[in-house]
């Protein structure tokens, strides 16, 4: 920390620079105080949109630390400031304050991205436009419109590769959306390409630790799906050593690790990985499988149904949960209930062009037919 005399004289810009440096290094808890000091300085000295911009950064960071009430509070405060100030580009930045992959329902994500995209065009802000395109792409992929969504993500990635995006955080969040979309769509080659790009020796020195962790989690999912379990475990083992401030990504890493252990038939080890985090949406699928393995079918069913409601129009993440409900009812002997969940899954597959969801539906139908 700087000496007290230095902080007494620090301008909002100095506070912001210090906070941003700590943030990029992965010291999120330490960056909170200087970010808040920067906000207070901008609020006192102006300009007001700069205070909103800092509040937006706090929203995303606090949500990533799983401090959702604090994130919601900062978002509300920023919205009130914008009502006082009027139209400005920070309206778009606040719309994208929450990281795309942390928003459960893609309907909300799509609305935020469209709002930010409109603002970016008004103010010719390419950093904001690129981020909005990526979040819109992630929303569309999550809803099952994989080709349309990936086209937008490719456009956003092209802008980064061409050097058109000057904001490192914006570029990182675009890559975050790309990795999330690749994993949700079951696009193993794409996930491997982008993860390898972010983790190779030439780029790791400039890739923020949070993005390295996300790349490792995405790569592990791709490797596990390809049957390369040893390599997947190595990536996850390293990912779990990342800074503890990255709570939401830590949950994703634990979910992938538990899923890997379940693939290997090591149910007790999977349960140990999820001990203490069982109530989080990120781990619902592997935890439900653990409950089913131990015969707790009612608990598993309730958790799956709650998660499906939370995910809203996210067809890509809802489909495997519906398929798991089919398996659950088959195991309980209630084939009528299994057929009901299969009907929902098949309707989901019919409503969108995703081959991944179609595969889930065919597999679930085959399992039910076998049971019948």
């Amino acid at each position: 920390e700087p000496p007290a005399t230095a902080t007494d004289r620090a301008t909002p810009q100095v506070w912001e620079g210090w906070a941003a440096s700590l943030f990029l290094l992965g010291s999120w808890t330490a960056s909170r105080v200087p970010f808040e000091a920067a906000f207070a300085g901008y609020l006192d000295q102006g300009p007001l949109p700069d205070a909103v911009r800092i509040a937006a950064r706090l929203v995303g960071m606090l949500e990533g630390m799983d401090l959702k009430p604090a994130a919601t509070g900062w978002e509300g405060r920023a919205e009130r400031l914008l009502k006082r100030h009027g139209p400005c580009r920070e309206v778009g930045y606040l719309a994208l304050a929450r990281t795309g992959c942390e928003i459960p329902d893609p309907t909300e994500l799509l609305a935020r991205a469209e709002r930010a995209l409109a603002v970016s065009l008004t103010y010719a802000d390419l950093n904001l436009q690129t981020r909005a395109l990526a979040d819109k792409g992630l929303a569309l992929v999550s809803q099952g419109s994989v080709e349309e969504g990936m086209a937008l993500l490719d456009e956003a990635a092209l802008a980064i590769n061409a050097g058109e995006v000057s904001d490192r955080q914006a570029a990182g969040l675009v890559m975050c959306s790309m990795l999330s979309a690749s994993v949700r769509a079951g696009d193993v080659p794409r996930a491997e390409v982008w993860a390898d790009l972010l983790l190779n020796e030439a780029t790791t020195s400039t890739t923020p630790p949070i993005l390295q962790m996300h790349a490792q989690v995405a790569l592990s999912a791709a490797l596990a799906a390809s049957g390369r379990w040893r390599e997947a475990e190595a990536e996850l083992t390293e990912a779990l050593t990342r800074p503890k401030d990255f709570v939401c990504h830590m949950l994703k890493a634990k979910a992938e690790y538990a899923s890997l252990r379940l693939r290997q038939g090591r149910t007790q080890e999977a349960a140990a990985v999820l001990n203490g985090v069982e109530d989080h949406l990120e781990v619902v699928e592997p935890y439900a499988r653990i409950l089913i393995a131990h015969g707790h079918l009612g608990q598993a069913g309730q958790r799956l149904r709650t998660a499906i409601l939370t995910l809203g129009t996210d067809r890509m993440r809802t489909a495997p949960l519906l398929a798991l409900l089919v398996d659950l009812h088959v195991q309980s002997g209630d084939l009528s209930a299994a057929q009901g969940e299969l009907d929902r899954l098949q309707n989901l597959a019919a409503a969108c062009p995703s081959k991944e969801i179609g595969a889930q539906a065919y597999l679930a139908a085959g399992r039910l037919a076998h049971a019948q």
Side-chain angles (χ1 to χ4, degrees):
E1 297 184 3
T5 54
T7 59
D8 288 342
R9 297 193 302 270
T11 64
Q13 292 82 2
V14 170
W15 283 116
E16 181 182 358
W18 179 28
S21 297
L22 290 170
F23 176 86
L24 288 172
L25 291 170
S27 300
W28 288 8
T29 297
S31 73
R32 183 173 179 178
V33 170
F35 267 136
E36 290 175 347
F39 173 84
Y42 285 129
L43 193 61
D44 181 51
Q45 302 173 25
L48 198 59
D50 283 339
V52 173
R53 179 170 47 77
I54 298 300
R57 294 203 64 170
L58 280 163
V59 170
M61 184 181 76
L62 292 169
E63 186 178 53
M65 295 169 68
D66 200 34
L67 299 174
K68 290 179 172 57
T72 300
W74 276 105
E75 191 170 27
R77 191 172 189 183
E79 287 171 351
R80 285 193 295 276
L81 290 176
L82 284 173
K83 287 179 181 177
R84 280 172 46 191
H85 183 272
C88 58
R89 77 181 65 207
E90 280 67 28
V91 171
Y93 282 97
L94 186 59
L96 300 184
R98 295 181 182 270
T99 307
C101 63
E102 305 297 348
I103 297 176
D105 190 342
T107 299
E108 179 187 349
L109 177 59
L110 185 59
R112 286 173 175 266
E114 292 281 20
R115 188 158 64 249
L117 190 57
V119 172
S120 75
L121 295 174
T122 298
Y123 292 93
D125 188 328
L126 192 55
N127 289 325
L128 181 60
Q129 180 182 337
T130 306
R131 264 211 65 196
L133 284 174
D135 277 8
K136 182 176 179 178
L138 174 59
L140 291 172
V141 168
S142 300
Q143 291 177 329
S145 299
V146 177
E147 290 188 9
E148 183 182 357
M150 285 301 186
L152 293 177
L153 284 157
D154 286 339
E155 183 180 344
L158 180 64
I160 293 173
N161 292 336
E164 298 172 356
V165 178
S166 59
D167 186 337
R168 284 184 63 194
Q169 186 187 14
L173 288 167
V174 169
M175 291 297 101
C176 184
S177 291
M178 175 67 83
L179 290 167
S180 297
S182 300
V183 171
R184 291 180 189 180
D187 191 336
V188 172
R190 187 185 291 262
E192 286 191 87
V193 166
W194 285 109
D196 285 339
L197 179 66
L198 293 167
L199 294 171
N200 67 45
E201 293 182 4
T203 58
T204 50
S205 61
T206 58
T207 302
I210 181 63
L211 188 53
Q212 291 183 38
M213 183 178 187
H214 194 163
Q216 286 181 308
V217 175
L219 181 58
S220 70
L223 293 169
S226 304
R228 295 154 65 183
W229 292 350
R230 185 174 297 176
E231 294 171 71
E233 183 171 347
E235 294 294 340
L236 286 169
T237 300
E238 185 176 349
L240 289 168
T241 67
R242 296 286 180 180
K244 302 306 178 186
D245 286 346
F246 304 159
V247 177
C248 288
H249 280 69
M250 192 66 67
L251 290 169
K252 292 181 177 73
K254 288 186 175 184
E256 290 297 337
Y257 205 104
S259 296
L260 178 61
R261 288 289 182 251
L262 288 168
R263 281 187 170 103
Q264 297 167 329
R266 297 156 69 173
T267 306
Q268 293 301 325
E269 291 178 52
V273 170
L274 300 184
N275 185 38
V277 299
E278 300 92 343
D279 293 333
H280 289 270
L281 177 66
E282 289 86 350
V283 306
V284 66
E285 184 178 355
Y287 188 60
R289 292 186 183 280
I290 291 167
L291 290 173
I292 292 170
H294 287 94
H296 303 305
L297 304 185
Q299 291 182 46
Q302 183 58 50
R303 286 177 181 271
L304 289 168
R305 285 186 286 271
T306 299
I308 288 169
L309 287 173
T310 303
L311 291 170
T313 61
D314 192 328
R315 295 186 175 105
M316 300 305 301
R317 288 191 289 175
T318 295
L321 304 186
L322 286 171
L324 191 51
L325 279 172
V326 173
D327 289 347
L328 183 154
H329 290 306
V330 166
Q331 184 168 323
S332 72
D334 190 345
L335 301 190
S336 176
Q339 183 63 58
E341 299 297 351
L342 177 60
D343 290 343
R344 292 177 64 191
L345 178 55
Q346 289 176 328
N347 289 336
L348 205 66
C352 67
S354 167
K355 294 179 181 179
E356 183 79 3
I357 296 176
Q360 293 276 359
Y362 279 121
L363 182 58
R367 287 174 172 164
L368 178 55
H370 182 267
Q372 291 167 332

